[in-house]
Amino acid sequence: MGEIRKISKRNAIRQENEARILSAAEKVFAEAGYGGATMQLIADMAGLPKANLHYYFPTKEELYRKVVQQIFEIWLHAADSFDDAPGPVEGIGAYIDAKMEISRRHPFGSKVWASEVMHGAPVIQDYLETTLREWTAGRAGLIQKWIDEGKMSPIDPSHLLYMLWATTQHYADFGHQIETLNGGKALSDRQWKDAKESVKTIILRGIGAL
């Protein structure tokens, strides 16, 4: 039993350290970019020795890819609402809720992704060509199914997905601009709720689902 407790404690420490490193890395990569970020900056932000950083993530590229993978997996999970939804009101509505909540809670991860793609995806092009392409095709197929069933207007599913991404991720990628226009303050809980409802209403009415 004693050995099991020791292993459990080591695993807990490892998970805690990895979470601290990834949180710090998100912020540093978002603010400095891949080229400007250093392992020392990330270690300082995480409050850990640089040697600890290299223990968990031997190279900057490996750490960067993990940050990108983490935000991507969170986004993919947000789309679970599509799979069993009876129609666009439920599926797309829940997806908008989830994506905007991610923008609220993981703004730095979203910014890292945006910066990477705007620079031609030099590190994560393989993600775009495989996982993202497959995910997009799958979701587009579901949207087309709802169109065929007469539950929404006949529009191009791909362009709807692009609009959903652009709108929901705007609240992370352009968070500073939103705060500035909000009197220099972050959106309150009530304002986030109103924003979600507004975005859902505009999009769902626009596609003829409401």
Side-chain angles (χ1 to χ4, degrees):
M1 288 295 293
E3 185 62 29
I4 292 175
R5 281 197 296 269
K6 288 180 182 178
I7 294 173
S8 178
K9 184 177 180 180
R10 283 199 299 270
N11 287 339
I13 292 172
R14 180 183 184 88
Q15 290 175 2
E16 180 183 346
N17 283 342
E18 286 186 352
R20 287 173 65 184
I21 292 167
L22 288 171
S23 178
E26 273 191 6
K27 191 171 191 303
V28 172
F29 284 131
E31 294 179 345
Y34 180 77
T38 66
M39 295 294 266
Q40 186 63 62
L41 276 173
I42 295 168
D44 292 343
M45 178 68 68
L48 293 169
K50 184 179 176 183
N52 282 34
L53 213 65
H54 284 290
Y55 173 77
Y56 293 106
F57 302 97
T59 67
K60 184 173 75 168
E61 180 174 339
E62 184 175 333
L63 176 54
Y64 181 80
R65 288 183 66 87
K66 183 63 177 179
V67 167
V68 171
Q69 179 185 352
Q70 179 174 258
I71 190 64
F72 191 47
E73 288 176 351
I74 291 171
W75 281 341
L76 291 181
H77 182 65
D80 289 348
S81 61
F82 271 89
D83 298 334
D84 300 315
V89 173
E90 300 84 359
I92 294 174
Y95 183 57
I96 290 170
D97 273 335
K99 284 287 272 84
M100 289 186 68
E101 192 61 26
I102 293 167
S103 286
R104 183 183 188 183
R105 300 186 181 280
H106 298 275
F108 295 116
S110 180
K111 291 174 184 176
V112 171
W113 180 276
S115 177
E116 168 73 10
V117 174
M118 284 191 293
H119 286 86
V123 178
I124 62 155
Q125 181 64 24
D126 56 327
Y127 270 90
L128 304 187
E129 294 177 352
T130 55
T131 309
L132 181 61
R133 180 176 290 166
E134 292 166 5
W135 181 94
T136 302
R139 300 291 110 29
L142 285 172
I143 293 170
Q144 187 60 53
K145 176 175 176 289
W146 293 332
I147 292 171
D148 295 341
E149 292 171 347
K151 294 178 178 178
M152 56 181 284
S153 301
I155 58 174
D156 187 314
S158 294
H159 292 299
L160 174 58
L161 288 171
Y162 302 157
M163 179 178 289
L164 291 172
W165 298 340
T167 302
T168 57
Q169 287 160 227
H170 175 91
Y171 288 84
D173 302 340
F174 288 82
H176 177 72
Q177 177 173 280
I178 289 174
E179 288 188 13
T180 299
L181 296 175
N182 193 44
K185 298 179 294 184
L187 297 183
S188 65
D189 290 345
R190 179 66 192 181
Q191 286 175 313
W192 272 105
K193 182 179 179 181
D194 290 345
K196 291 176 184 178
E197 291 304 316
S198 293
V199 171
K200 284 190 292 184
T201 299
I202 292 166
I203 290 178
L204 291 173
R205 283 183 179 170
I207 63 175
L210 288 180

